[in-house]
């Protein structure tokens, strides 16, 4: 079961400008989530020969050819799922929209601008035992979303300038940085502790536990020949921003493909013709 609420004011200071701000609240009761014991804890218990939590199993890996009589590593850890107490997230959605002709000598140019931003104030999972995992601003939930994480800020701003049959649209995207911690892996209260940072690589610089924010700028150019024919050109990651290193995610090697894929591909181009039949 879930409870959802959103609401906020709309301002129109002029006939061509609209400002909006919404607060949202979402609560899901008995939310299905991976077992909160965490793979790290299970792996450590298995290697230490301790009893595993109820319902959790470990399939050993194949023997090490260099040490065939050594202890087998945990190959597959089957945690299963649980009905947690609740998942609560809330935050703010902000946006503005402008639609007008430019003044003066540029009066033939039409300007349409739209910007949106989302701030995740919290994303908290309450487990059956009452402990709380706080995911906002971290890589959590780690297992449920392939370690893509929950950045607090995401925003974009596009501006379309139209002159006769030509339209040019640059769009700016931003995703804020986050810590490479995840409380569903290392336990409640560890989100801000660099000592609990997750790593999927042995090349992690000493003490680094935060991924930088990522910017991206795309450009679209469209020319409308007539009602049926048009041509377009797209440039992705126009300024060539590179993905920041993420040593904790396992969704991609040393980078987070959920938020920074264009920073690995770098600048790319697309051209085409559209025909309306």
């Amino acid at each position: 079961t879930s409870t959802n609420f959103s609401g906020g004011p709309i301002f129109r200071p002029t006939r061509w400008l609209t400002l909006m701000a919404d607060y949202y609240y979402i609560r899901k009761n008995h939310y299905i989530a991976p077992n909160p014991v965490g793979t790290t804890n299970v792996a450590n218990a298995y290697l230490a020969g301790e009893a595993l939590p109820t319902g959790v199993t470990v399939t050993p890996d194949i023997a090490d050819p260099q040490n065939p009589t050594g202890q087998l590593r945990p190959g597959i850890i089957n945690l299963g799922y649980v009905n947690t107490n609740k998942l609560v997230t809330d935050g703010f959605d902000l946006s503005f929209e402008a639609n007008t002709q430019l003044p003066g000598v540029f009066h033939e140019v039409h300007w349409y601008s739209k910007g949106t931003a989302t701030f995740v104030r919290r994303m908290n999972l309450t487990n059956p035992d009452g402990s709380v995992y706080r995911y906002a601003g971290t890589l959590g939930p780690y297992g449920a979303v392939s370690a893509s994480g929950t950045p607090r800020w995401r925003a974009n701003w596009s501006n379309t300038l139209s002159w006769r049959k030509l339209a040019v649209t640059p769009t700016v995207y931003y995703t804020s940085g986050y810590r490479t911690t995840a409380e569903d892996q290392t336990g409640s209260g560890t989100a801000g502790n660099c000592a609990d940072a997750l790593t999927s690589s042995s090349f992690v610089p000493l003490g680094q536990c935060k991924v930088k924010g990522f910017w991206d700028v795309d450009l679209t150019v469209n020319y409308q020949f007539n009602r049926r024919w048009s041509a377009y050109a797209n440039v992705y990651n126009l300024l060539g921003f590179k993905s920041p290193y993420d040593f904790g995610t396992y969704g991609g090697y040393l980078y987070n493909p959920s938020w920074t894929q264009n920073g690995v591909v770098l600048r790319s181009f697309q051209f085409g013709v559209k025909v309306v039949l």
Side-chain angles (χ1 to χ4, degrees):
T1 58
S2 68
T3 301
N4 308 302
F5 167 81
S6 65
I10 298 177
F11 300 100
R12 291 192 175 91
T14 69
R15 62 181 180 82
W16 55 268
L17 179 63
T18 303
L19 306 174
M20 292 170 283
D22 285 325
Y23 168 78
Y24 69 86
Y25 172 89
I26 303 171
R27 169 174 170 161
K28 295 184 177 182
N29 297 315
H30 310 299
Y31 180 75
I32 299 173
N35 195 317
V37 297
T39 56
T40 301
N41 295 330
V42 173
N44 291 337
Y46 168 82
L47 293 173
E50 301 172 355
L52 300 180
T54 303
V56 175
T57 62
V58 174
T59 302
D61 199 356
I62 61 174
D64 184 352
Q66 303 298 322
N67 186 20
T69 60
Q71 183 182 16
L72 297 180
R73 299 170 298 181
I76 299 176
I77 298 177
N78 182 17
L79 294 177
Y81 293 85
V82 297
N83 284 325
T84 63
N85 187 320
K86 61 183 177 181
L87 174 69
V88 175
T89 183
D90 70 337
F92 298 91
D93 289 325
L94 310 172
S95 65
F96 74 89
E97 187 172 353
N99 193 345
T100 186
Q101 299 291 130
L102 294 184
V105 295
F106 301 104
H107 67 278
E108 291 188 5
V109 178
H110 183 269
W111 174 48
Y112 176 76
S113 179
K114 184 174 183 178
T116 63
T118 296
F119 173 71
V120 181
R121 177 176 171 268
R122 61 175 169 169
M123 184 175 182
N124 297 346
L125 177 70
T126 303
N127 295 301
D129 63 0
S131 62
V132 179
Y133 293 162
R134 294 170 175 82
Y135 295 142
T138 75
L139 269 179
Y142 195 80
V145 294
S146 299
S148 60
T150 309
R152 286 192 181 272
W153 280 101
R154 295 197 68 205
N156 66 79
W157 180 28
S158 66
N159 290 272
T160 298
L161 298 172
S162 303
W163 179 69
R164 296 180 182 177
K165 297 182 178 181
L166 178 66
V168 179
T169 305
T171 305
V172 180
Y173 300 92
Y174 172 71
T175 302
S176 65
Y178 48 86
R179 291 185 178 273
T180 54
T181 57
E183 293 196 350
D184 56 336
Q185 295 297 301
T186 54
S188 179
T190 60
N193 191 353
C194 279
D196 293 302
L198 303 170
T199 62
S200 59
S201 167
S202 59
F203 303 102
V204 184
L206 183 64
Q208 185 182 59
C209 67
K210 191 176 189 301
V211 177
K212 296 179 180 179
F214 179 67
W215 293 87
D216 180 23
V217 179
D218 296 347
L219 178 67
T220 297
V221 179
N222 187 84
Y223 189 84
Q224 191 77 36
F225 295 101
N226 52 48
R227 290 186 302 173
R228 296 181 56 189
W229 290 83
S230 64
Y232 66 90
N234 298 328
V235 184
Y236 302 104
N237 197 355
L238 176 67
L239 302 181
F241 290 113
K242 296 181 180 180
S243 296
Y245 283 115
D246 184 337
F247 297 98
T249 185
Y250 62 87
Y253 182 64
L254 302 185
Y255 81 103
N256 195 326
S258 295
W259 316 119
T260 66
Q261 180 67 27
N262 279 359
V264 172
V265 178
L266 296 179
R267 189 179 297 108
S268 60
F269 304 87
Q270 183 182 54
F271 306 91
V273 175
K274 291 183 179 180
V275 182
V276 179
L277 301 177

